[in-house]
Amino acid sequence: MSGRRSPPSSQPGTTSKPGPSGPGQVDYGYACKRLCSLTGSFLGNSSFTPHRGDWLSVVDQGLKALGVTAVFEEFSYGGLPSPLPYTFTPGCGEWTPGQIAQALEQFEATKRAVDESGEAPPLEPEVVDAVMQCLGWMRHAQERPGFGVIDFRS
């Protein structure tokens, strides 16, 4: 199990991918959340709470504007880590170590291009803060081989 991040349990306005959830499958989600709280690190999420409407999509667009597509929409529409079955509650999204490495490479490439051109994509300050918080999570996970980032919403 990779190290994980667990934001507050109440995140109004989130969307989850639809799908069936059989008897006992909710237990997988809460068991995974508990394991992550014991083996991972809580990462600050002040740019994400309280959750505001389609905020995750706005942050995804900010990441995309900065050339980061490896983790695009993974928190908004993800699920429990494989091979765990889908559960509606708690909602969950994951960034794997491979996605994190690729996303950080993408960000660094964009940063070099911005440094050379002197022109950065226009982003609202709140979006920049949230994107930088995401990058901080990714760097934290990357410093721990095999760790990823996970988000729980219920």
Side-chain angles (χ1 to χ4, degrees):
M1 192 78 20
S2 297
R4 310 296 180 177
R5 168 185 89 81
S6 177
S9 61
S10 178
Q11 299 283 331
T14 61
T15 58
S16 298
K17 69 180 179 183
S21 187
Q25 286 187 330
V26 170
D27 294 341
Y28 282 108
Y30 287 108
C32 182
K33 183 175 180 179
R34 179 70 176 141
L35 283 172
C36 291
S37 73
L38 294 171
T39 61
S41 305
F42 176 82
L43 301 174
N45 60 359
S46 59
S47 293
F48 293 88
T49 57
H51 192 73
R52 300 170 298 278
D54 67 344
W55 182 240
L56 294 178
S57 296
V58 172
V59 176
D60 281 339
Q61 290 300 319
L63 287 164
K64 188 176 179 182
L66 293 171
V68 179
T69 59
V71 293
F72 186 64
E73 293 183 348
E74 291 300 317
F75 275 176
S76 299
Y77 304 105
L80 292 172
S82 181
L84 296 176
Y86 172 78
T87 64
F88 183 74
T89 303
C92 181
E94 176 191 26
W95 292 340
T96 66
Q99 289 172 308
I100 289 169
Q102 184 180 359
L104 290 172
E105 287 172 13
Q106 291 171 334
F107 176 74
E108 291 301 322
T110 299
K111 186 176 167 186
R112 285 189 298 275
V114 167
D115 288 346
E116 290 172 9
S117 71
E119 296 194 24
L123 297 174
E124 295 293 324
E126 298 84 15
V127 175
V128 172
D129 290 345
V131 165
M132 295 311 291
Q133 195 163 57
C134 290
L135 293 168
W137 300 338
M138 289 184 249
R139 289 181 180 118
H140 181 84
Q142 192 176 49
E143 291 171 358
R144 292 151 184 80
F147 279 52
V149 178
I150 196 166
D151 164 51
F152 292 100
R153 300 170 307 283
S154 54

